[in-house]
Each structure stands twice: as structure tokens, then as C-alpha cells.
Amino acid sequence: MNPNSMNAFFEVLIHSMNDAVTIVDADGVVLYWNEAAERTYGITREETVGKRIGDFFTRESLMLYQVMESGIPVRNVYHEPRPGMHVTINTDPVYNEQQELIGAISIERNITSYVKLSAELYSKPTGQNLESYAFPFKKEEIDETSPMSTLNYPLLLVGHTGVGKRSMAEWLHQSGGKQGNFVSISCNSIPSGLIDSELFGFHAEAYGETADKQLGKLGLAHDGTIYLRDLHTVPLATQEKLAQVIHDRRYYPVGSTTSVPLTCRILASAPAPIESYVAQGLITQDLYYAFQTTYIPSLQERKQELPELCRLFLSQAAEQMGKRVPELSSEVMTALTSYNWPGNLPELKNVMEHIIIVSMNHPVSSQDLPPAMRLTTLTDLTEQAVPLHVHSEEVERAHIIEALERTGGNKARAARLLSISRGALYYKIKQYGLDG
């Protein structure tokens, strides 16, 4: 395919994107301005192409020039170009085959509707107070799992660490109308030589004693539910016994020749992807297929629920600490939704507690978040204390415009802001044609 054909494909691709795309040459002259940019900023392609980006935007042009000067891309920069509009910006320098700078490309995602929706969800009254054992799942997610709660079938809950597998298991136990105990066992913490007696119980005679038999966890969960955490860590021999127990609905305590009926429901959990553990032989196929399987999504997959989850965790932490629930700004909500949450719900809970501790009853800003999840704002990026003389002419021109705008045209104050003399500022204003 020849270069012209490829360019045609790329132009259609960029034009059809929902994100605003700006391409400038090394002098800051706009080469491309797509339809999404027209919608976002209300400026047509005819008005911008062939003009300097600094004629329309000050901070945005400063960022483009800084990226071209430094050669360092920027990611996820938050900006509010006008009141009520919120965007995140990614910008990269562009080089030719000879590694010569030829310009930069900036992609801006308009997240205004999402920020507004987040604010509405965060501030709306709670529609349904789920009990603590059901938290933190929405009603729709509970509804999807509801049929499982009334059946006595073994269920394997699959998901990454911290997604709420135990919370779901407790809800299934409670909503299933079980009269007995909810018995949880961490399979990973029990030595392999003791797990059989821990699960199935034992007759003391098997250990050379005359004491009565000891109930295992299956017996303690009579008319209730046993929850086996980290099923993939159970020894394979014990897994085979469990698969047989599920099939026969009976089991043998260690050292006994008399079987005991299974009178509890079996729930278990394992990490995702569960298929890899089966393929590696860490979970036997017999045991895997003895369970029905349901996937619990990670927090990264539930970002649309973050506003409500934040409110719930904040309320919980505020009540514990005797403080009021603070307001989360749009910048904070953008930072929270941009973060990937590798620690899932425990990490979110920890961050909300952190906010309650440091907020001091004032509206929460990005600075109140842990450093790892603070967004860089366009203001942060372009307000670095760098002397004016170190910049290229285009960056210098943009800085002067910025200073004049911030000082309302007061040249003495603008000169102090730029760390140059007033005479030098007058000279540069004339040099760059800014005195008209």
C-alpha cells in the first residue's frame, strides 16, 4: 500500500475518533484539527489549521511546546479549559525517520458527562441500604447472583484478590435462609497433613487416643455454609475427596469407617483466571466441574460504580472517626476513576479512610489523595518555576501571553511573574507582535 493510501486511512481514523485530536508542526502551527476538537472547543478546522495553537489556547500551547522541547510525552493530564468542561490530555512529540522533531500530537478526552454523572451518583440519596454482608455490590449484581442463593448447589467464586468474594459468600449464606453457621476456612493457612482432619473431622482412635470424635469444619457448618478460601491451594488428594463428597453428599471423618451425611452448602473461592489453575493441575478437573462457577469483577471493571462505592466507604469511615462526609471535587473523581485500583476494594477503602483523616473537614482536593493516584493538572505542568530565557521563542511567546492574561494586562506584575525587567518585557511584547 502506498503512503498516500495509508494517509487516507489515518485521516479517516482520526476524523472518526470521539477524542479531540490536535496535530502541530515544530513551530506550533496547527496541521490537523478533527471533528471532535471542533465539538469540544467550538472552533472550526478552517479557523485553526495554518494558525499557531497559541493564538487560541495558552496553557495547551505551553504544554505542546514543553513536550516538543523535552521530548517527554505526558499522560492523563487533567484540565478544565472552561467552567464545567473537563478533559484529560495525552501528548507526544513526533519525529521523522532521521529522529528530527517535526511536531506533536495531542489527544484530549472530554470527560465532562462522566464527571457530571459521577457527581450526581455521589450526591444522590441512597436508594437501598444493603446489609454489611452484601456490601459492596449493587442491586443489579446481587440480582444476577440471587438464583444461586436459593439453590444448595456448590458454587466457586472466581476473582482477583480484594474483589469481594467473601462478601458475596456471606450474602449467599444469609439470603439462602440457612439456619446454621457460616464457617470460613483459609485453605492456604492449614498444613497439608492436617487439612483432611480440619475439613472432615476425625475419630481420636486414629491418633491412638480414646477421646470422643472431633467435628471438622463440614460438621460445624451443619445446616449452614462452609466457605473454602483459596481452593487451588488444597492438596490434590484432598481435592479428590472433596469432589467425591460433593457427588455422594456424604463423607468419612479421618479414622472412621462410617460415613456422615453432608448437611451444609459448599462455597469456595479461587483467583482468576481459574482455567489456568485447572490447566496447571492445581485444581483437579473432577473438583472444578463439581462446582458451578461465577466471576466476581475487579474494581477496574466496575468503575461506573466508583462514585457510589466512594460515598459508602467515606460514610463508613466518617462515622467511625466522628467526622462529617467530605465533598469530592470533580478533579478528585477524575483521579479516582483514572486509577486502575490493583488492590481492589481494600485499597479503595484504605484511600477513603486516608481522605477522612487528611481532609480536615474541607472539600477534598487532589492533594488529599495518596501521591500514586494524584492527577497532574495542566496548570501544574505549565506553571513550573523556569526562567523565561531558557525557553524557545514559541514557548517564550506563550508564557508572555499567559502572564499578561493572569495579570489583566498589568505589565509590571507580568514582568515580575516572568522574572524579567519591565523594559525586557516591553521589548519582547513588541518583538512578538503582542502590542496590538
Side-chain angles (χ1 to χ4, degrees), residues 22 24 28 33 41 52-68 74 77-82 85 87 89-91 104 106 108 376-386 391 394-408 417-418:
T22 306
V24 299
W33 182 260
Y41 294 105
R52 295 182 186 277
I53 189 68
D55 293 342
F56 303 92
F57 306 99
T58 304
R59 289 201 180 278
E60 290 85 344
S61 64
L62 282 172
M63 183 186 64
L64 280 164
Y65 293 133
Q66 286 178 358
V67 166
M68 288 192 287
V74 298
V77 173
Y78 171 78
H79 184 42
E80 192 172 356
R82 61 174 182 263
M85 175 180 281
V87 299
I89 309 171
N90 292 331
T91 303
S106 180
E108 303 186 18
T376 301
T377 68
L378 191 58
T379 301
D380 295 334
L381 198 68
T382 56
E383 280 193 348
Q384 300 172 18
V386 178
H391 293 292
E394 286 303 325
V395 179
E396 187 175 74
R397 182 177 185 273
H399 267 293
I400 292 171
I401 294 172
E402 159 83 12
L404 290 170
E405 287 178 352
R406 289 177 60 189
T407 59
L417 195 64
L418 294 166

Side-chain angles (χ1 to χ4, degrees), residues 404 407-416 421-422 425-426 429 435:
L404 290 170
T407 59
N410 186 310
K411 296 181 178 61
R413 289 174 55 203
R416 286 197 298 272
S421 69
R422 188 161 48 176
L425 178 60
Y426 276 105
I429 288 174
D435 51 356

Side-chain angles (χ1 to χ4, degrees), residues 184-200:
S184 176
I185 177 171
S186 179
C187 301
N188 193 36
S189 65
I190 301 172
S192 58
L194 297 178
I195 193 159
D196 281 12
S197 57
E198 187 76 16
L199 280 173
F200 308 124

